[in-house]
Amino acid sequence: MPSGSFDFVVAANRLPVDRVVAPDGTTTWRTSPGGLVTAMESVMRHREGAWVGWAGSPEETPEPFDNEGLHLHPVPLSGEEVRDYYEGFSNDTLWPIYHDVIVPPTFKRRWWATYRRVNQRFAEAVAEVAAEGATVWIHDYQLQLAPALVRELRPDLRIGWFDHIPFPPVELFAQLPWRKSILRGLLGADFLGFQRRQDGANFVRACRELLGATSKGEVVTWQGADDDEPGAAPRTVRAAAVPISIDVQGLEELARKPEVRERAREIRHSLGDPETLLLGVDRLDYTKGIRHRLRAIAELYEDGEIRPPEVTFAQVATPSRERVAAYRDLRAQIEGTVGRINGEFSLIGDTAVHYLHQSYPREEMAAFFQAADVMLVTPIRDGMNLVAKEYLTCRYDLGGALVLSEFTGAAQELRQAYLCNPHDIVGLKQTILRAMRDDPAAKRRRMRTLRRRVAAHDVQTWAEQYLEALGHAPDRPPRRS
Ligand code: ADP
Ligand code: G6P
């Protein structure tokens, strides 16, 4: 296959921008949702390269174009492919399995066939833009077959894959009827990066138990050819944890702007100038523990521990995957619960729960974070959770407190947060109260330690570590001095 001209190619399901077509036919672009884009967009702002991805709508696909120094290469998806590959296999089969089967996964052979076809299309697009010997960085669960498919087309490339979400224990992964094909797809990469050590270990164990691979620490060796795939070549790859982060400097600069600080004051004022503002910020996803959070808040109101207007809770929920049934159901439940809590505990003019089902610009998010006294990050399962790191970064004044679920990747790093088990509603209530009422000096000490940790591992450090590991794989990169 002839090669393209880019030495560095990123492939992710989404481009960093989504195409929005207005009813009058005019096209605008807006930042795509989610942590993957938040992180990779800032990585790519400091590098040259191409980004291969879907433009976010099934309409006619734009030609490749340049956007702020980055070459964007759209991959077309038909309406049916969006349904079967994106909403179906990616978000109704893989997402629930990779998140502890919080909701039951759906298995459909037609979805799998489309997932394969779309991964092949992504692989062809990568092969088309990558220069001879280029580095290719493939992202996330939507593109698990792409590493091997790219290698087949272009054996000259160095190929990495990063898992933004958890990798499940083999007992759950093994439910997938296509489990072996997925592992073979991933083994096409030279280096596989995960959020936590446990995720990498789960992958290695799955290769051992399901493919009969051997392993030594983080290095997996697969003999290749097996009954299902007689022609496959042997592979030796490395799988290790490289936890993702955020653009600390850029976000702190934004948060320090006088207009953002003023906006934070305005937000507090519009919410009735509470003594304590509790805040949740999530994509509206069942993994995020929003139901558990609301239950704890409702009980705290009921117990008389908190009341409006002194304490109020704001939940910002980004619309997400709205055509998948589990997401539609979740939205209905959350909105019903918010209505019930407000019916019972709001006072005239003083709302108990403010619910915002909208996306906001980065400046507005930074102002929200600055305005919040207690940030509630309570996922049932989350690969990392960048919101937690963003909150800490915006609180450069050392104010505020972070309540953080043990079931997030972030909790492995942020041990000084107010850690909680969101399933334990009594414990969660106590943790929220502690985060509100602890001695201010102790809270500041926690914030200082947490902020130091985030600052020392920002998204550029993450990308450098990842690319260094990819460059040396399957060997470990030499230790940094
Ligand atoms: P996930 O990737 O699962 O959505 P993360 O917490 O890792 O979760 O990343 C979410 C990203 O989306 C963060 O950068 C956060 O600031 C951003 N975000 C969340 N909610 C909104 C919103 N309503 N408007 C704009 N950005 C949002
Ligand atoms: C998570 C996933 C990303 C995904 C994002 C937003 O961060 O790891 O791969 O892009 O959620 O979800 P969406 O389905 O809207 O792309």
Side-chain angles (χ1 to χ4, degrees):
M1 183 146 188
S3 56
S5 58
F6 290 93
D7 291 322
F8 183 45
V9 180
V10 165
N13 175 54
R14 281 187 187 278
L15 287 173
V17 283
D18 260 358
R19 183 173 191 241
V20 187
V21 184
D24 67 0
T26 50
T27 296
T28 49
W29 295 88
R30 65 160 183 233
T31 305
S32 308
L36 185 161
V37 163
T38 303
M40 282 310 292
E41 207 211 347
S42 29
V43 168
M44 294 309 279
R45 237 182 283 125
H46 296 262
R47 286 163 205 271
E48 279 184 12
W51 186 318
V52 172
W54 172 49
S57 61
E59 289 96 24
E60 192 189 325
T61 297
E63 287 300 308
F65 62 104
D66 292 327
N67 176 278
E68 295 176 17
L70 192 60
H71 181 73
L72 302 187
H73 190 96
V75 175
L77 294 184
S78 68
E80 202 184 316
E81 285 168 343
V82 173
R83 191 189 65 201
D84 292 354
Y85 148 77
Y86 168 70
E87 292 161 352
F89 199 77
S90 296
N91 289 316
D92 209 0
T93 306
L94 294 173
W95 183 269
I97 290 210
Y98 284 42
H99 288 89
D100 292 356
V101 290
I102 299 168
V103 305
T106 306
F107 301 121
K108 286 199 184 169
R109 279 170 272 182
R110 194 187 66 231
W111 291 359
W112 165 245
T114 311
Y115 183 82
R116 286 175 54 173
R117 186 168 76 236
V118 171
N119 267 254
Q120 178 69 36
R121 190 172 309 146
F122 270 82
E124 283 164 14
V126 168
E128 192 186 320
V129 296
E132 181 73 27
T135 295
V136 172
W137 191 354
I138 301 170
H139 291 261
D140 233 359
Y141 60 102
Q142 303 94 338
L143 299 179
Q144 293 180 92
L145 303 179
L149 295 170
V150 171
R151 182 168 300 283
E152 226 167 80
L153 294 168
R154 292 285 305 277
D156 58 298
L157 302 177
R158 184 139 279 259
I159 304 168
W161 180 78
F162 185 78
D163 186 17
H164 291 254
I165 67 174
F167 198 88
V170 68
E171 290 76 8
L172 294 180
F173 182 76
Q175 288 185 16
L176 262 177
W178 309 282
R179 58 203 191 182
K180 285 193 191 177
S181 304
I182 292 203
L183 293 177
R184 285 193 213 102
L186 291 172
L187 285 165
D190 296 294
F191 177 66
L192 297 112
F194 296 87
Q195 301 281 25
R196 303 172 311 155
R197 256 223 299 267
Q198 188 57 48
D199 297 312
N202 286 345
F203 168 76
V204 172
R205 212 181 122 211
C207 291
R208 293 178 68 99
E209 295 191 12
L210 301 172
L211 287 186
T214 54
S215 67
K216 196 163 176 235
E218 296 169 338
V219 176
V220 183
T221 299
W222 177 50
Q223 75 288 358
D226 58 17
D227 291 347
D228 303 322
E229 207 169 330
R235 300 280 311 140
T236 297
V237 311
R238 188 165 160 250
V242 192
I244 201 169
S245 193
I246 58 163
D247 173 14
V248 174
Q249 201 192 335
L251 184 58
E252 185 164 334
E253 270 170 29
L254 184 72
R256 282 179 182 273
K257 285 192 172 168
E259 50 280 26
V260 170
R261 290 162 53 190
E262 177 53 29
R263 180 66 193 136
R265 280 190 286 274
E266 265 174 38
I267 290 175
R268 286 187 73 93
H269 187 61
S270 331
L271 297 175
D273 281 322
E275 276 163 30
T276 306
L277 171 60
L278 310 171
L279 176 68
V281 170
D282 316 78
R283 253 181 331 95
L284 191 43
D285 195 302
Y286 50 79
T287 57
K288 302 289 183 183
I290 305 172
R291 280 183 289 218
H292 298 66
R293 192 182 307 163
L294 281 171
R295 171 123 187 250
I297 297 284
E299 288 193 17
L300 286 170
Y301 280 128
E302 202 171 322
D303 302 344
E305 292 280 7
I306 61 173
R307 64 189 67 77
E310 290 85 23
V311 179
T312 189
F313 172 53
Q315 175 66 51
V316 180
T318 327
S320 189
R321 307 175 190 167
E322 295 199 288
R323 296 200 312 188
V324 179
Y327 288 77
R328 272 204 310 271
D329 295 349
L330 174 76
R331 180 173 174 192
Q333 280 175 23
I334 301 276
E335 295 185 352
T337 307
V338 169
R340 271 195 299 281
I341 300 176
N342 279 335
E344 221 161 307
F345 302 109
S346 290
L347 307 171
I348 291 175
D350 296 318
T351 308
V353 177
H354 298 262
Y355 169 76
L356 302 146
H357 185 242
Q358 290 160 51
S359 280
Y360 295 97
R362 268 162 44 85
E363 292 75 7
E364 185 74 356
M365 298 310 296
F368 261 115
F369 290 139
Q370 246 178 43
D373 299 296
V374 180
M375 185 76 213
L376 300 179
V377 178
T378 60
I380 303 305
R381 175 61 74 206
D382 206 335
M384 173 52 68
N385 197 285
L386 294 183
V387 162
K389 294 186 173 183
E390 289 173 345
Y391 175 68
L392 296 170
T393 302
C394 289
R395 294 312 305 250
Y396 57 84
D397 59 345
L398 301 185
L402 172 65
V403 170
L404 180 62
S405 161
E406 292 161 15
F407 304 111
T408 59
Q412 306 242 311
E413 297 173 54
L414 305 176
R415 307 305 299 173
Q416 298 294 316
Y418 291 89
L419 295 177
C420 68
N421 167 5
H423 298 281
D424 170 13
I425 300 295
V426 173
L428 178 55
K429 283 159 58 182
Q430 284 164 353
T431 310
I432 294 173
L433 292 176
R434 263 181 64 214
M436 286 171 60
R437 296 173 183 168
D438 251 4
D439 167 47
K443 283 166 69 167
R444 290 172 79 80
R445 275 199 299 278
R446 282 180 187 253
M447 283 304 275
R448 191 173 289 118
T449 313
L450 289 166
R451 282 175 44 78
R452 236 184 248 142
R453 165 72 212 185
V454 177
H457 292 267
D458 75 347
V459 76
Q460 297 304 336
T461 317
W462 167 73
E464 279 158 26
Q465 280 179 354
Y466 182 93
L467 292 171
E468 210 182 331
L470 172 57
H472 287 84
D475 296 332
R476 262 174 194 280
R479 272 191 184 284
R480 290 169 173 235
S481 51

